[in-house]
Amino acid sequence: MAELGEADEAELQRLVAAEQQKAQFTAQVHHFMELCWDKCVEKPGNRLDSRTENCLSSCVDRFIDTTLAITSRFAQMVQKGGQ
Amino acid sequence: MEASWSTPPPSPSSSSPPQSSPGAADPQLRRFVEVETQRQRAQQLVHHLTELCWEKCVDKPGPRLDRRAEVCLVNCVERFIDTSQFILNRLEQTHRARPLLSGSLAD
């Protein structure tokens, strides 16, 4: 592969970063689907009713809260212990 | 493990790339890889949906797939798509509201 000029190199990096972000986002969607489908959809009806939608919203939010809570607790433990 | 009813893989558009210009082989190969990747993704989705919807819709397997189970399966596939879309929208909202979050949520 020929040597890339600086501008091309920067453009390539930008494209790769954009694709990585898209892939990350898609992976997140799949992950949440796995978590929340089981919790919120019992017997699939002929539409998504409001109870299910509320459950899905809560599911996403509570999982994010959980992640933040565990992350900050872990950071605390690392700071205090230093072991 | 392939399901017996799954479609056979498509064959590449031509059997051998043209010898004259080496660059011409690339678009054919690229196209083949694209089609093959899409086929695999579709198959994965079918397997995934089958597992999920089997759980939700078939309690005690009877002598045949009854009407209630069939309706449930149709609903299941459609609700799965609705749910994916709903979560996607929800996450987009969240990312807009709290952009710093994207780092910690990455697996």
Side-chain angles (χ1 to χ4, degrees), chain A residues 24-25 28-29 31-34 36-38 41-48 53-54 56-57 60-61 63-65 67-68 71, chain B residues 48 52-53 55-57 59 71-72 75-76 78-80 82-84 86-88 90-92 94-95 98 101-102 104-107:
Chain A
Q24 225 176 52
F25 186 73
Q28 266 184 34
V29 173
H31 188 210
F32 277 100
M33 264 305 280
E34 277 181 66
C36 302
W37 171 264
D38 266 336
V41 181
E42 295 225 355
K43 266 266 184 310
N46 50 19
R47 56 170 186 65
L48 270 190
E53 287 193 350
N54 287 338
L56 289 171
S57 295
V60 173
D61 292 345
F63 182 77
I64 290 170
D65 291 344
T67 306
L68 290 176
T71 307
Chain B
H48 188 48
L52 288 182
C53 298
E55 283 302 311
K56 296 277 181 210
C57 296
D59 295 320
V71 170
C72 179
N75 287 339
C76 181
E78 291 179 4
R79 295 301 77 69
F80 180 87
D82 291 345
T83 306
S84 294
F86 186 88
I87 287 177
L88 195 133
R90 187 86 194 149
L91 277 178
E92 271 180 357
T94 306
H95 278 229
R98 302 198 266 182
L101 213 51
S102 8
S104 47
L105 286 180
D107 267 338

Tab-separated table of all heavy atoms in Angstrom, chain A residues 24-25 28-29 31-34 36-38 41-48 53-54 56-57 60-61 63-65 67-68 71, chain B residues 48 52-53 55-57 59 71-72 75-76 78-80 82-84 86-88 90-92 94-95 98 101-102 104-107:
chain	number	residue	atom	x	y	z
A	24	GLN	N	-19.953	0.103	17.869
A	24	GLN	CA	-20.148	0.112	19.320
A	24	GLN	C	-21.612	0.343	19.666
A	24	GLN	O	-22.179	-0.328	20.520
A	24	GLN	CB	-19.312	1.248	19.913
A	24	GLN	CG	-18.532	0.868	21.141
A	24	GLN	CD	-17.646	2.015	21.609
A	24	GLN	OE1	-18.129	3.128	21.785
A	24	GLN	NE2	-16.366	1.738	21.782
A	25	PHE	N	-22.220	1.316	18.967
A	25	PHE	CA	-23.614	1.641	19.228
A	25	PHE	C	-24.508	0.453	18.903
A	25	PHE	O	-25.404	0.098	19.669
A	25	PHE	CB	-24.018	2.867	18.409
A	25	PHE	CG	-25.393	3.365	18.718
A	25	PHE	CD1	-25.650	4.017	19.907
A	25	PHE	CD2	-26.440	3.159	17.837
A	25	PHE	CE1	-26.928	4.471	20.203
A	25	PHE	CE2	-27.710	3.609	18.132
A	25	PHE	CZ	-27.953	4.271	19.308
A	28	GLN	N	-24.284	-2.091	21.523
A	28	GLN	CA	-25.070	-1.682	22.692
A	28	GLN	C	-26.532	-2.022	22.528
A	28	GLN	O	-27.173	-2.532	23.450
A	28	GLN	CB	-24.951	-0.174	22.898
A	28	GLN	CG	-23.872	0.219	23.871
A	28	GLN	CD	-23.864	1.707	24.117
A	28	GLN	OE1	-24.911	2.342	24.114
A	28	GLN	NE2	-22.694	2.258	24.317
A	29	VAL	N	-27.070	-1.710	21.349
A	29	VAL	CA	-28.487	-1.993	21.088
A	29	VAL	C	-28.757	-3.486	21.260
A	29	VAL	O	-29.708	-3.887	21.923
A	29	VAL	CB	-28.904	-1.526	19.680
A	29	VAL	CG1	-30.316	-1.982	19.360
A	29	VAL	CG2	-28.841	-0.007	19.576
A	31	HIS	N	-27.064	-5.624	22.992
A	31	HIS	CA	-26.882	-5.976	24.399
A	31	HIS	C	-28.140	-5.654	25.201
A	31	HIS	O	-28.638	-6.497	25.959
A	31	HIS	CB	-25.672	-5.206	24.931
A	31	HIS	CG	-25.267	-5.625	26.306
A	31	HIS	ND1	-24.676	-4.770	27.205
A	31	HIS	CD2	-25.377	-6.804	26.956
A	31	HIS	CE1	-24.437	-5.407	28.330
A	31	HIS	NE2	-24.850	-6.649	28.207
A	32	PHE	N	-28.652	-4.440	25.012
A	32	PHE	CA	-29.865	-4.053	25.725
A	32	PHE	C	-31.046	-4.915	25.321
A	32	PHE	O	-31.921	-5.219	26.139
A	32	PHE	CB	-30.186	-2.576	25.495
A	32	PHE	CG	-29.416	-1.659	26.409
A	32	PHE	CD1	-28.294	-0.995	25.966
A	32	PHE	CD2	-29.818	-1.482	27.723
A	32	PHE	CE1	-27.582	-0.159	26.809
A	32	PHE	CE2	-29.101	-0.649	28.572
A	32	PHE	CZ	-27.985	0.018	28.113
A	33	MET	N	-31.104	-5.262	24.054
A	33	MET	CA	-32.174	-6.148	23.589
A	33	MET	C	-32.180	-7.437	24.384
A	33	MET	O	-33.204	-7.896	24.853
A	33	MET	CB	-32.000	-6.486	22.103
A	33	MET	CG	-32.793	-5.641	21.157
A	33	MET	SD	-34.545	-5.644	21.538
A	33	MET	CE	-35.073	-7.182	20.815
A	34	GLU	N	-30.989	-8.047	24.521
A	34	GLU	CA	-30.908	-9.304	25.263
A	34	GLU	C	-31.407	-9.127	26.687
A	34	GLU	O	-32.161	-9.938	27.204
A	34	GLU	CB	-29.457	-9.781	25.295
A	34	GLU	CG	-29.015	-10.534	24.066
A	34	GLU	CD	-27.576	-10.993	24.183
A	34	GLU	OE1	-27.311	-11.842	25.042
A	34	GLU	OE2	-26.733	-10.478	23.428
A	36	CYS	N	-33.361	-6.710	28.043
A	36	CYS	CA	-34.695	-6.182	28.300
A	36	CYS	C	-35.820	-6.968	27.636
A	36	CYS	O	-36.966	-6.895	28.081
A	36	CYS	CB	-34.760	-4.713	27.878
A	36	CYS	SG	-33.518	-3.693	28.732
A	37	TRP	N	-35.522	-7.714	26.587
A	37	TRP	CA	-36.565	-8.530	25.950
A	37	TRP	C	-37.165	-9.494	26.963
A	37	TRP	O	-38.379	-9.579	27.122
A	37	TRP	CB	-35.981	-9.273	24.755
A	37	TRP	CG	-36.877	-10.289	24.139
A	37	TRP	CD1	-36.890	-11.630	24.381
A	37	TRP	CD2	-37.901	-10.067	23.173
A	37	TRP	NE1	-37.853	-12.254	23.617
A	37	TRP	CE2	-38.478	-11.313	22.870
A	37	TRP	CE3	-38.381	-8.923	22.520
A	37	TRP	CZ2	-39.517	-11.456	21.941
A	37	TRP	CZ3	-39.409	-9.077	21.592
A	37	TRP	CH2	-39.968	-10.328	21.314
A	38	ASP	N	-36.298	-10.212	27.678
A	38	ASP	CA	-36.793	-11.176	28.646
A	38	ASP	C	-37.552	-10.531	29.781
A	38	ASP	O	-38.563	-11.056	30.236
A	38	ASP	CB	-35.625	-11.982	29.217
A	38	ASP	CG	-35.419	-13.280	28.459
A	38	ASP	OD1	-36.401	-13.749	27.848
A	38	ASP	OD2	-34.301	-13.800	28.486
A	41	VAL	N	-40.987	-8.378	27.825
A	41	VAL	CA	-41.947	-8.952	26.878
A	41	VAL	C	-42.278	-10.360	27.318
A	41	VAL	O	-41.486	-11.275	27.180
A	41	VAL	CB	-41.389	-8.966	25.439
A	41	VAL	CG1	-42.408	-9.537	24.479
A	41	VAL	CG2	-40.997	-7.563	25.006
A	42	GLU	N	-43.499	-10.530	27.899
A	42	GLU	CA	-43.887	-11.862	28.347
A	42	GLU	C	-44.427	-12.666	27.182
A	42	GLU	O	-43.782	-13.558	26.666
A	42	GLU	CB	-44.937	-11.742	29.446
A	42	GLU	CG	-44.382	-11.082	30.685
A	42	GLU	CD	-44.809	-11.831	31.942
A	42	GLU	OE1	-45.588	-12.786	31.837
A	42	GLU	OE2	-44.350	-11.436	33.018
A	43	LYS	N	-45.660	-12.312	26.793
A	43	LYS	CA	-46.238	-12.976	25.617
A	43	LYS	C	-46.415	-11.891	24.542
A	43	LYS	O	-47.131	-10.927	24.759
A	43	LYS	CB	-47.603	-13.588	25.956
A	43	LYS	CG	-47.564	-15.058	26.361
A	43	LYS	CD	-47.809	-15.956	25.168
A	43	LYS	CE	-47.890	-17.450	25.463
A	43	LYS	NZ	-46.826	-18.031	26.254
A	44	PRO	N	-45.727	-12.032	23.403
A	44	PRO	CA	-45.814	-10.983	22.369
A	44	PRO	C	-47.244	-10.782	21.896
A	44	PRO	O	-47.904	-11.741	21.471
A	44	PRO	CB	-44.942	-11.543	21.249
A	44	PRO	CG	-44.118	-12.599	21.857
A	44	PRO	CD	-44.893	-13.160	22.998
A	45	GLY	N	-47.748	-9.546	21.987
A	45	GLY	CA	-49.094	-9.230	21.513
A	45	GLY	C	-49.017	-8.664	20.115
A	45	GLY	O	-47.969	-8.703	19.467
A	46	ASN	N	-50.118	-8.062	19.642
A	46	ASN	CA	-50.096	-7.554	18.271
A	46	ASN	C	-49.593	-6.111	18.179
A	46	ASN	O	-49.571	-5.517	17.118
A	46	ASN	CB	-51.447	-7.722	17.570
A	46	ASN	CG	-52.594	-7.197	18.403
A	46	ASN	OD1	-52.386	-6.406	19.325
A	46	ASN	ND2	-53.796	-7.639	18.080
A	47	ARG	N	-49.189	-5.541	19.302
A	47	ARG	CA	-48.442	-4.283	19.258
A	47	ARG	C	-47.678	-4.125	20.583
A	47	ARG	O	-47.946	-4.843	21.540
A	47	ARG	CB	-49.374	-3.090	19.014
A	47	ARG	CG	-50.492	-2.970	20.015
A	47	ARG	CD	-51.229	-1.642	19.878
A	47	ARG	NE	-52.208	-1.478	20.916
A	47	ARG	CZ	-51.939	-1.373	22.208
A	47	ARG	NH1	-50.699	-1.434	22.621
A	47	ARG	NH2	-52.896	-1.208	23.100
A	48	LEU	N	-46.769	-3.147	20.613
A	48	LEU	CA	-46.050	-2.850	21.860
A	48	LEU	C	-46.945	-1.950	22.712
A	48	LEU	O	-47.111	-0.785	22.411
A	48	LEU	CB	-44.743	-2.107	21.570
A	48	LEU	CG	-43.450	-2.868	21.336
A	48	LEU	CD1	-42.285	-1.907	21.314
A	48	LEU	CD2	-43.208	-3.921	22.393
A	53	GLU	N	-43.605	-0.619	26.833
A	53	GLU	CA	-42.721	0.493	26.502
A	53	GLU	C	-42.130	1.113	27.764
A	53	GLU	O	-40.930	1.418	27.807
A	53	GLU	CB	-43.480	1.543	25.690
A	53	GLU	CG	-43.757	1.106	24.265
A	53	GLU	CD	-44.215	2.244	23.382
A	53	GLU	OE1	-44.506	3.332	23.920
A	53	GLU	OE2	-44.277	2.041	22.167
A	54	ASN	N	-42.943	1.290	28.790
A	54	ASN	CA	-42.435	1.828	30.046
A	54	ASN	C	-41.378	0.916	30.645
A	54	ASN	O	-40.353	1.375	31.145
A	54	ASN	CB	-43.573	2.024	31.060
A	54	ASN	CG	-44.448	3.210	30.704
A	54	ASN	OD1	-44.019	4.098	29.984
A	54	ASN	ND2	-45.674	3.204	31.197
A	56	LEU	N	-39.455	-1.138	29.032
A	56	LEU	CA	-38.237	-1.054	28.226
A	56	LEU	C	-37.444	0.213	28.557
A	56	LEU	O	-36.217	0.162	28.699
A	56	LEU	CB	-38.580	-1.091	26.733
A	56	LEU	CG	-39.076	-2.421	26.187
A	56	LEU	CD1	-39.586	-2.254	24.760
A	56	LEU	CD2	-37.989	-3.477	26.223
A	57	SER	N	-38.138	1.353	28.689
A	57	SER	CA	-37.462	2.595	29.053
A	57	SER	C	-36.779	2.439	30.400
A	57	SER	O	-35.615	2.799	30.566
A	57	SER	CB	-38.459	3.752	29.131
A	57	SER	OG	-39.003	4.011	27.880
A	60	VAL	N	-33.629	0.194	30.222
A	60	VAL	CA	-32.442	0.878	29.712
A	60	VAL	C	-31.867	1.812	30.777
A	60	VAL	O	-30.675	1.776	31.084
A	60	VAL	CB	-32.776	1.677	28.429
A	60	VAL	CG1	-31.604	2.527	27.991
A	60	VAL	CG2	-33.173	0.737	27.305
A	61	ASP	N	-32.743	2.636	31.368
A	61	ASP	CA	-32.281	3.609	32.358
A	61	ASP	C	-31.673	2.948	33.577
A	61	ASP	O	-30.624	3.356	34.066
A	61	ASP	CB	-33.438	4.522	32.782
A	61	ASP	CG	-33.885	5.445	31.666
A	61	ASP	OD1	-33.137	5.584	30.681
A	61	ASP	OD2	-34.988	6.016	31.775
A	63	PHE	N	-30.403	-0.019	33.851
A	63	PHE	CA	-29.134	-0.690	33.556
A	63	PHE	C	-27.994	0.324	33.521
A	63	PHE	O	-26.885	0.045	34.009
A	63	PHE	CB	-29.196	-1.464	32.240
A	63	PHE	CG	-27.922	-2.197	31.948
A	63	PHE	CD1	-27.631	-3.380	32.612
A	63	PHE	CD2	-26.995	-1.698	31.054
A	63	PHE	CE1	-26.444	-4.057	32.369
A	63	PHE	CE2	-25.805	-2.363	30.802
A	63	PHE	CZ	-25.534	-3.546	31.466
A	64	ILE	N	-28.267	1.489	32.937
A	64	ILE	CA	-27.258	2.548	32.903
A	64	ILE	C	-26.925	2.999	34.323
A	64	ILE	O	-25.753	3.144	34.687
A	64	ILE	CB	-27.737	3.733	32.034
A	64	ILE	CG1	-27.761	3.307	30.566
A	64	ILE	CG2	-26.840	4.945	32.210
A	64	ILE	CD1	-28.422	4.295	29.645
A	65	ASP	N	-27.961	3.202	35.156
A	65	ASP	CA	-27.732	3.563	36.561
A	65	ASP	C	-26.883	2.514	37.264
A	65	ASP	O	-25.966	2.848	38.027
A	65	ASP	CB	-29.066	3.701	37.316
A	65	ASP	CG	-29.863	4.902	36.853
A	65	ASP	OD1	-29.278	5.782	36.200
A	65	ASP	OD2	-31.081	4.943	37.140
A	67	THR	N	-24.766	0.395	35.925
A	67	THR	CA	-23.395	0.468	35.435
A	67	THR	C	-22.636	1.602	36.122
A	67	THR	O	-21.495	1.416	36.572
A	67	THR	CB	-23.373	0.691	33.913
A	67	THR	OG1	-24.159	-0.313	33.287
A	67	THR	CG2	-21.961	0.625	33.370
A	68	LEU	N	-23.259	2.758	36.208
A	68	LEU	CA	-22.615	3.903	36.846
A	68	LEU	C	-22.346	3.636	38.324
A	68	LEU	O	-21.271	3.956	38.843
A	68	LEU	CB	-23.478	5.157	36.694
A	68	LEU	CG	-23.575	5.731	35.288
A	68	LEU	CD1	-24.525	6.912	35.251
A	68	LEU	CD2	-22.204	6.151	34.789
A	71	THR	N	-19.487	1.175	38.665
A	71	THR	CA	-18.240	1.823	38.261
A	71	THR	C	-17.727	2.747	39.352
A	71	THR	O	-16.539	2.701	39.702
A	71	THR	CB	-18.442	2.637	36.967
A	71	THR	OG1	-19.025	1.799	35.978
A	71	THR	CG2	-17.117	3.161	36.440
B	48	HIS	N	-31.542	-16.717	15.921
B	48	HIS	CA	-31.742	-15.986	17.172
B	48	HIS	C	-33.231	-15.832	17.475
B	48	HIS	O	-33.693	-16.116	18.582
B	48	HIS	CB	-31.060	-14.624	17.064
B	48	HIS	CG	-31.028	-13.856	18.342
B	48	HIS	ND1	-30.629	-14.404	19.529
B	48	HIS	CD2	-31.361	-12.571	18.622
B	48	HIS	CE1	-30.702	-13.501	20.481
B	48	HIS	NE2	-31.146	-12.372	19.962
B	52	LEU	N	-35.593	-17.252	20.629
B	52	LEU	CA	-36.370	-16.355	21.489
B	52	LEU	C	-37.849	-16.685	21.433
B	52	LEU	O	-38.531	-16.780	22.458
B	52	LEU	CB	-36.170	-14.902	21.075
B	52	LEU	CG	-34.832	-14.238	21.374
B	52	LEU	CD1	-34.897	-12.791	20.922
B	52	LEU	CD2	-34.500	-14.292	22.853
B	53	CYS	N	-38.377	-16.849	20.225
B	53	CYS	CA	-39.813	-16.983	20.056
B	53	CYS	C	-40.298	-18.383	20.398
B	53	CYS	O	-41.457	-18.564	20.789
B	53	CYS	CB	-40.221	-16.591	18.635
B	53	CYS	SG	-39.828	-14.855	18.283
B	55	GLU	N	-39.145	-19.946	22.994
B	55	GLU	CA	-39.339	-19.784	24.438
B	55	GLU	C	-40.660	-19.136	24.771
B	55	GLU	O	-41.373	-19.558	25.678
B	55	GLU	CB	-38.205	-18.943	25.036
B	55	GLU	CG	-36.902	-19.674	25.227
B	55	GLU	CD	-37.031	-20.901	26.106
B	55	GLU	OE1	-37.612	-20.801	27.196
B	55	GLU	OE2	-36.592	-21.983	25.661
B	56	LYS	N	-40.982	-18.064	24.038
B	56	LYS	CA	-42.169	-17.280	24.393
B	56	LYS	C	-43.469	-17.954	23.975
B	56	LYS	O	-44.500	-17.772	24.597
B	56	LYS	CB	-42.109	-15.894	23.728
B	56	LYS	CG	-40.971	-15.004	24.167
B	56	LYS	CD	-41.277	-14.260	25.445
B	56	LYS	CE	-40.127	-13.349	25.841
B	56	LYS	NZ	-40.020	-13.158	27.267
B	57	CYS	N	-43.437	-18.675	22.881
B	57	CYS	CA	-44.696	-19.071	22.242
B	57	CYS	C	-45.048	-20.550	22.313
B	57	CYS	O	-46.205	-20.921	22.111
B	57	CYS	CB	-44.684	-18.664	20.766
B	57	CYS	SG	-44.617	-16.873	20.542
B	59	ASP	N	-45.259	-23.516	24.744
B	59	ASP	CA	-45.157	-24.012	26.123
B	59	ASP	C	-44.920	-25.511	26.145
B	59	ASP	O	-43.846	-25.984	26.447
B	59	ASP	CB	-46.429	-23.664	26.901
B	59	ASP	CG	-46.590	-22.165	27.056
B	59	ASP	OD1	-45.573	-21.497	27.286
B	59	ASP	OD2	-47.727	-21.678	26.927
B	71	VAL	N	-49.917	-17.531	15.675
B	71	VAL	CA	-50.181	-16.100	15.877
B	71	VAL	C	-49.112	-15.502	16.777
B	71	VAL	O	-48.581	-14.421	16.506
B	71	VAL	CB	-51.593	-15.887	16.485
B	71	VAL	CG1	-51.779	-14.444	16.913
B	71	VAL	CG2	-52.664	-16.280	15.483
B	72	CYS	N	-48.792	-16.219	17.846
B	72	CYS	CA	-47.770	-15.754	18.787
B	72	CYS	C	-46.428	-15.573	18.080
B	72	CYS	O	-45.721	-14.594	18.315
B	72	CYS	CB	-47.646	-16.738	19.945
B	72	CYS	SG	-46.388	-16.276	21.148
B	75	ASN	N	-46.480	-12.431	15.997
B	75	ASN	CA	-46.360	-11.287	16.917
B	75	ASN	C	-44.946	-11.166	17.460
B	75	ASN	O	-44.405	-10.070	17.587
B	75	ASN	CB	-47.332	-11.449	18.091
B	75	ASN	CG	-48.770	-11.214	17.686
B	75	ASN	OD1	-49.031	-10.574	16.671
B	75	ASN	ND2	-49.694	-11.730	18.477
B	76	CYS	N	-44.365	-12.293	17.785
B	76	CYS	CA	-43.025	-12.315	18.379
B	76	CYS	C	-42.011	-11.649	17.458
B	76	CYS	O	-41.251	-10.779	17.895
B	76	CYS	CB	-42.620	-13.760	18.676
B	76	CYS	SG	-40.999	-13.898	19.429
B	78	GLU	N	-42.546	-9.594	14.978
B	78	GLU	CA	-42.853	-8.171	14.805
B	78	GLU	C	-42.515	-7.371	16.053
B	78	GLU	O	-41.948	-6.283	15.970
B	78	GLU	CB	-44.323	-8.003	14.415
B	78	GLU	CG	-44.618	-8.517	13.022
B	78	GLU	CD	-46.077	-8.376	12.627
B	78	GLU	OE1	-46.837	-7.799	13.425
B	78	GLU	OE2	-46.444	-8.846	11.539
B	79	ARG	N	-42.853	-7.893	17.218
B	79	ARG	CA	-42.562	-7.177	18.467
B	79	ARG	C	-41.071	-7.105	18.699
B	79	ARG	O	-40.558	-6.137	19.289
B	79	ARG	CB	-43.236	-7.824	19.681
B	79	ARG	CG	-44.751	-7.805	19.686
B	79	ARG	CD	-45.394	-6.423	19.619
B	79	ARG	NE	-45.403	-5.795	18.312
B	79	ARG	CZ	-46.133	-6.201	17.258
B	79	ARG	NH1	-46.911	-7.255	17.385
B	79	ARG	NH2	-46.077	-5.572	16.122
B	80	PHE	N	-40.336	-8.090	18.275
B	80	PHE	CA	-38.875	-8.051	18.395
B	80	PHE	C	-38.314	-6.860	17.632
B	80	PHE	O	-37.468	-6.110	18.130
B	80	PHE	CB	-38.275	-9.357	17.871
B	80	PHE	CG	-36.773	-9.410	17.960
B	80	PHE	CD1	-36.159	-9.854	19.117
B	80	PHE	CD2	-35.983	-9.007	16.894
B	80	PHE	CE1	-34.773	-9.912	19.205
B	80	PHE	CE2	-34.596	-9.060	16.975
B	80	PHE	CZ	-33.998	-9.508	18.133
B	82	ASP	N	-40.031	-4.168	16.727
B	82	ASP	CA	-40.494	-2.957	17.418
B	82	ASP	C	-39.623	-2.653	18.629
B	82	ASP	O	-39.258	-1.506	18.876
B	82	ASP	CB	-41.941	-3.128	17.908
B	82	ASP	CG	-42.929	-3.176	16.766
B	82	ASP	OD1	-42.554	-2.792	15.642
B	82	ASP	OD2	-44.072	-3.601	17.001
B	83	THR	N	-39.320	-3.692	19.396
B	83	THR	CA	-38.530	-3.514	20.615
B	83	THR	C	-37.127	-3.017	20.274
B	83	THR	O	-36.607	-2.111	20.925
B	83	THR	CB	-38.446	-4.834	21.403
B	83	THR	OG1	-39.758	-5.318	21.631
B	83	THR	CG2	-37.752	-4.637	22.737
B	84	SER	N	-36.508	-3.600	19.248
B	84	SER	CA	-35.173	-3.152	18.827
B	84	SER	C	-35.198	-1.673	18.462
B	84	SER	O	-34.332	-0.902	18.875
B	84	SER	CB	-34.690	-3.934	17.615
B	84	SER	OG	-34.470	-5.282	17.926
B	86	PHE	N	-37.357	0.562	19.415
B	86	PHE	CA	-37.637	1.345	20.617
B	86	PHE	C	-36.371	1.580	21.427
B	86	PHE	O	-36.079	2.696	21.850
B	86	PHE	CB	-38.682	0.624	21.465
B	86	PHE	CG	-39.149	1.425	22.647
B	86	PHE	CD1	-40.208	2.310	22.503
B	86	PHE	CD2	-38.543	1.304	23.883
B	86	PHE	CE1	-40.648	3.062	23.586
B	86	PHE	CE2	-38.975	2.057	24.967
B	86	PHE	CZ	-40.027	2.935	24.817
B	87	ILE	N	-35.610	0.505	21.623
B	87	ILE	CA	-34.366	0.620	22.397
B	87	ILE	C	-33.367	1.501	21.675
B	87	ILE	O	-32.666	2.315	22.289
B	87	ILE	CB	-33.789	-0.784	22.694
B	87	ILE	CG1	-34.644	-1.471	23.752
B	87	ILE	CG2	-32.346	-0.702	23.151
B	87	ILE	CD1	-34.222	-2.883	24.068
B	88	LEU	N	-33.287	1.375	20.365
B	88	LEU	CA	-32.395	2.208	19.568
B	88	LEU	C	-32.722	3.684	19.771
B	88	LEU	O	-31.837	4.498	20.046
B	88	LEU	CB	-32.526	1.830	18.098
B	88	LEU	CG	-31.441	2.339	17.157
B	88	LEU	CD1	-30.975	1.212	16.273
B	88	LEU	CD2	-31.963	3.453	16.284
B	90	ARG	N	-34.362	5.031	22.233
B	90	ARG	CA	-34.115	5.363	23.635
B	90	ARG	C	-32.626	5.640	23.883
B	90	ARG	O	-32.263	6.588	24.563
B	90	ARG	CB	-34.573	4.201	24.512
B	90	ARG	CG	-34.536	4.485	25.970
B	90	ARG	CD	-35.793	5.154	26.424
B	90	ARG	NE	-35.572	5.703	27.762
B	90	ARG	CZ	-36.153	6.779	28.217
B	90	ARG	NH1	-37.011	7.428	27.466
B	90	ARG	NH2	-35.909	7.221	29.426
B	91	LEU	N	-31.773	4.788	23.317
B	91	LEU	CA	-30.331	4.954	23.498
B	91	LEU	C	-29.836	6.218	22.803
B	91	LEU	O	-28.966	6.907	23.321
B	91	LEU	CB	-29.568	3.748	22.966
B	91	LEU	CG	-29.477	2.562	23.907
B	91	LEU	CD1	-28.740	1.414	23.242
B	91	LEU	CD2	-28.766	2.935	25.195
B	92	GLU	N	-30.407	6.520	21.639
B	92	GLU	CA	-30.035	7.746	20.946
B	92	GLU	C	-30.348	8.954	21.807
B	92	GLU	O	-29.556	9.872	21.936
B	92	GLU	CB	-30.768	7.855	19.613
B	92	GLU	CG	-30.018	7.214	18.465
B	92	GLU	CD	-30.752	7.339	17.145
B	92	GLU	OE1	-31.875	7.874	17.135
B	92	GLU	OE2	-30.182	6.900	16.143
B	94	THR	N	-30.609	8.986	25.076
B	94	THR	CA	-29.692	8.968	26.218
B	94	THR	C	-28.329	9.501	25.820
B	94	THR	O	-27.726	10.280	26.541
B	94	THR	CB	-29.542	7.545	26.767
B	94	THR	OG1	-30.833	7.030	27.047
B	94	THR	CG2	-28.693	7.523	28.012
B	95	HIS	N	-27.821	9.086	24.661
B	95	HIS	CA	-26.514	9.539	24.222
B	95	HIS	C	-26.504	11.042	23.970
B	95	HIS	O	-25.508	11.706	24.231
B	95	HIS	CB	-26.090	8.801	22.945
B	95	HIS	CG	-25.498	7.465	23.215
B	95	HIS	ND1	-24.314	7.047	22.653
B	95	HIS	CD2	-25.913	6.442	23.994
B	95	HIS	CE1	-24.044	5.825	23.075
B	95	HIS	NE2	-24.988	5.434	23.895
B	98	ARG	N	-26.641	12.537	27.659
B	98	ARG	CA	-25.443	12.341	28.452
B	98	ARG	C	-24.334	11.726	27.598
B	98	ARG	O	-24.066	10.543	27.681
B	98	ARG	CB	-25.727	11.392	29.627
B	98	ARG	CG	-26.837	11.867	30.535
B	98	ARG	CD	-26.794	11.159	31.866
B	98	ARG	NE	-27.661	9.980	31.913
B	98	ARG	CZ	-27.813	9.226	32.989
B	98	ARG	NH1	-27.165	9.507	34.089
B	98	ARG	NH2	-28.605	8.175	32.960
B	101	LEU	N	-21.542	9.271	28.723
B	101	LEU	CA	-21.923	7.928	29.101
B	101	LEU	C	-21.410	6.873	28.138
B	101	LEU	O	-21.223	5.727	28.468
B	101	LEU	CB	-23.457	7.871	29.148
B	101	LEU	CG	-24.074	6.959	30.178
B	101	LEU	CD1	-23.486	7.227	31.541
B	101	LEU	CD2	-25.557	7.225	30.233
B	102	SER	N	-21.224	7.281	26.865
B	102	SER	CA	-20.908	6.306	25.823
B	102	SER	C	-19.654	5.515	26.160
B	102	SER	O	-19.559	4.339	25.859
B	102	SER	CB	-20.753	6.961	24.463
B	102	SER	OG	-20.772	8.351	24.586
B	104	SER	N	-18.413	4.588	29.197
B	104	SER	CA	-18.561	3.583	30.249
B	104	SER	C	-19.478	2.455	29.848
B	104	SER	O	-19.429	1.384	30.420
B	104	SER	CB	-19.039	4.228	31.546
B	104	SER	OG	-20.113	5.099	31.278
B	105	LEU	N	-20.323	2.676	28.840
B	105	LEU	CA	-21.253	1.627	28.452
B	105	LEU	C	-20.632	0.681	27.427
B	105	LEU	O	-21.154	-0.378	27.178
B	105	LEU	CB	-22.524	2.218	27.838
B	105	LEU	CG	-23.481	2.874	28.788
B	105	LEU	CD1	-24.683	3.414	28.030
B	105	LEU	CD2	-23.963	1.912	29.852
B	106	ALA	N	-19.504	1.101	26.848
B	106	ALA	CA	-18.881	0.295	25.800
B	106	ALA	C	-18.382	-1.010	26.409
B	106	ALA	O	-17.736	-1.013	27.445
B	106	ALA	CB	-17.718	1.059	25.158
B	107	ASP	N	-18.682	-2.103	25.723
B	107	ASP	CA	-18.268	-3.425	26.245
B	107	ASP	C	-16.831	-3.729	25.906
B	107	ASP	O	-16.479	-3.621	24.740
B	107	ASP	CB	-19.178	-4.506	25.650
B	107	ASP	CG	-20.334	-4.746	26.603
B	107	ASP	OD1	-20.186	-4.437	27.775
B	107	ASP	OD2	-21.369	-5.235	26.130
